Amino acid sequence: MTSTWTRGRRIGASVIAAASLAAIAVVVPVQMGFASSNSSPAPHGAPSGGKPTIVLVHGAWADGSSFAPETAALQRDGYKVLVAPNPLRGVASDAAVLSAFLAQKTSGPVVLVGHSYGGAVISAAATGNANVKALVYIDAYAPDQGESTQDLTNAKPGSLLNVDPTTVFDFVLPTPDAGQGDWDAYIKTDHFKAVFAASLPTATTDALAAAQSPVTLGALATPFAGTPAWKTIPSYFFIGTEDKLLPPAEQLFMANRAHGKITQGRAPHLAMLADPTQVTGVILDAARSCQHGGR
């Protein structure tokens, strides 16, 4: 998932800009290089009956368990489901990891699903992969070239992260010599419920906050490089109208720009746990469309 912040009082704009430029220099070659590895994925357990494999990609401050209800429902419906790794280190490097995963763990048609920051990752990893037949964005970022997830979160009002970052984030320096872009950002535990999943029970959000996976500052601030896959692959969007992290108005803008099929529901940012039935329905819509050769 992604975060936004106006440059914080204790994190200078110049430092973040420098970190972002450094990140671009490192990760852009990776992003440009992973398309070729997608062209001929190795066979690995193709689903029967012509059904696509459904690959789920979590976002920041979460992990694959956030898709547990959808995974179970899709498996009951006869789909092969894989929950892919997402290191949360940077869009291009994370996309390279996902690209390698797809090449070695799937064969045949794939529906690629991303939540929040995971949407940016699937937008990069699917480029050049002819097996990916549909993209599904669940309260997710669908950036164009030059846009960071930070930019998109701040583009329209409504995000609880569009504040002084030190009031909503805890920052962890992973090593003494780590650059600013490599700092890990955690949502403060007392803000997690309001930002992420206001409609879920407090006991649940407390547990999720304790187990959150951090994302690097560079992953949030570095602009997307290359042509996003939503420009050529049919896209489906679930927009949670109660999302307090990524404003619904910005999600709607991205969905319309991608000419995506849009479903809206009264759900917070972590819609997969708050409204699993409707989220599963969107994924099934994309999967069934693949089986019939179109939207």
Side-chain angles (χ1 to χ4, degrees):
M1 278 141 246
T2 299
S3 130
T4 75
W5 60 86
T6 55
R7 302 306 196 253
R9 297 187 183 94
R10 301 207 307 251
I11 301 179
S14 61
V15 177
I16 289 181
S20 298
L21 290 173
I24 295 170
V26 173
V27 301
V28 166
V30 177
Q31 185 165 320
M32 293 176 66
F34 60 64
S36 61
S37 68
N38 282 325
S39 57
S40 55
H44 197 290
S48 61
K51 290 184 174 181
T53 298
I54 299 173
V55 179
L56 308 172
V57 182
H58 69 82
W61 307 300
D63 59 29
S65 67
S66 58
F67 278 110
E70 289 77 11
T71 299
L74 293 165
Q75 288 175 335
R76 284 194 300 269
D77 210 30
Y79 287 91
K80 179 181 178 181
V81 181
L82 299 173
V83 181
N86 188 1
L88 307 175
R89 303 294 88 188
V91 173
S93 59
D94 294 339
V97 170
L98 177 57
S99 176
F101 180 88
L102 294 173
Q104 297 172 63
K105 289 281 286 178
T106 70
S107 63
V110 170
V111 172
L112 199 51
V113 183
H115 175 237
S116 195
Y117 168 83
V121 176
I122 69 171
S123 296
T127 300
N129 188 335
N131 282 351
V132 177
K133 303 301 182 182
L135 302 171
V136 182
Y137 294 86
I138 310 298
D139 287 327
Y141 296 85
D144 203 348
Q145 180 162 329
E147 297 174 342
S148 70
T149 54
Q150 174 183 326
D151 294 334
L152 293 169
T153 309
N154 289 336
K156 289 180 171 60
S159 175
L160 293 180
L161 298 185
N162 192 7
V163 294
D164 175 355
T166 63
T167 67
V168 291
F169 292 113
D170 291 322
F171 299 103
V172 174
L173 184 66
T175 61
D177 60 346
Q180 182 96 54
D182 293 324
W183 285 21
D184 285 325
Y186 295 82
I187 297 177
K188 289 180 180 292
T189 55
D190 58 350
H191 285 69
F192 191 92
K193 179 181 175 75
V195 171
F196 238 64
S199 64
L200 292 179
T202 299
T204 299
T205 56
D206 284 350
L208 292 169
Q212 62 182 291
S213 301
V215 64
T216 65
L217 295 183
L220 302 174
T222 303
F224 189 93
T227 301
W230 52 259
K231 291 194 173 183
T232 56
I233 298 174
S235 300
Y236 298 74
F237 288 77
F238 177 83
I239 299 173
T241 58
E242 300 298 313
D243 195 328
K244 302 301 182 184
L245 190 153
L246 178 56
E250 183 59 30
Q251 294 186 49
L252 190 59
F253 165 78
M254 291 185 287
N256 284 326
R257 179 174 66 179
H259 305 291
K261 184 173 181 179
I262 299 168
T263 300
Q264 300 188 59
R266 190 178 176 85
H269 190 66
L270 198 58
M272 301 94 71
L273 295 181
D275 192 356
T277 299
Q278 196 162 16
V279 170
T280 300
V282 173
I283 298 170
L284 284 172
D285 188 18
R288 290 165 180 163
S289 179
C290 289
Q291 290 172 252
H292 294 92
R295 293 197 182 202

